[in-house]
Amino acid sequence: MQKLTNKEEEIMKILWTLEKAFVKEILHEITGEKPHYNTLSTIVRNLEEKGYVGHDAFGNTHRYFPKVTKEAYRKVFINSTIADYYDNSYKSLVSFFAKEEKISVEELKEIIDLIEKKK
């Protein structure tokens, strides 16, 4: 599974939320500066070529839908991030968040509880 560009990820997040959408519906959901319709259409077609998106044809228009779940993409992305930046160490990842004060003691306790329940 290929890593997506930031713009492709933005479009996928919209599709994961909407589940099915025409390009104009995707365009409506984009916050901030909106790309030209044709540019967005090209991005969606690129996502389809990469296997992330499928479509249903309605005459000359297409309604797009995600073929890859958000969870499946997240799993690949997280695993590659941990491999690339944390030497395949989940401990290093959690330590990073603790040092940056992005995770609280209570949240760490919840994580420990989840791990202990799995045993």
Side-chain angles (χ1 to χ4, degrees):
M1 187 179 306
Q2 294 180 29
K3 172 85 172 84
L4 300 177
T5 66
N6 290 339
K7 188 53 82 174
E8 288 171 336
E9 280 186 0
E10 180 184 359
I11 303 312
M12 284 305 301
K13 288 176 186 176
I14 292 169
L15 277 173
W16 285 321
T17 300
L18 297 177
E19 297 179 1
K20 294 180 181 179
F22 295 97
V23 172
K24 69 178 184 176
E25 294 170 321
I26 297 169
L27 186 61
H28 179 73
E29 295 296 318
I30 294 175
T31 56
E33 189 175 334
K34 296 185 186 291
H36 188 274
Y37 179 93
N38 291 340
T39 302
L40 178 58
S41 182
T42 299
I43 293 169
V44 174
R45 284 194 311 273
N46 288 341
L47 286 167
E48 189 169 24
E49 287 176 17
K50 290 180 177 182
Y52 283 89
V53 171
H55 76 266
D56 296 317
F58 296 92
N60 290 336
T61 62
H62 296 102
R63 183 175 62 187
Y64 296 94
F65 57 89
K67 290 176 69 177
V68 173
T69 66
K70 186 176 185 177
E71 293 74 24
Y73 182 72
R74 178 177 26 206
K75 184 176 182 179
V76 169
F77 173 71
I78 290 295
N79 288 338
S80 68
T81 299
I82 292 169
D84 292 344
Y85 297 102
Y86 299 98
D87 298 322
N88 280 324
S89 170
Y90 289 87
K91 177 184 172 193
S92 294
L93 174 69
V94 173
S95 295
F96 168 79
F97 287 121
K99 288 176 189 170
E100 294 291 317
E101 298 180 4
K102 303 289 185 188
I103 191 167
S104 69
V105 172
E106 292 79 24
E107 290 169 323
L108 286 170
K109 287 178 182 178
E110 288 176 24
I111 292 169
I112 291 168
D113 287 343
L114 286 172
I115 293 169
E116 288 177 345
K117 286 178 184 175
K118 290 260 184 191
K119 291 182 179 181

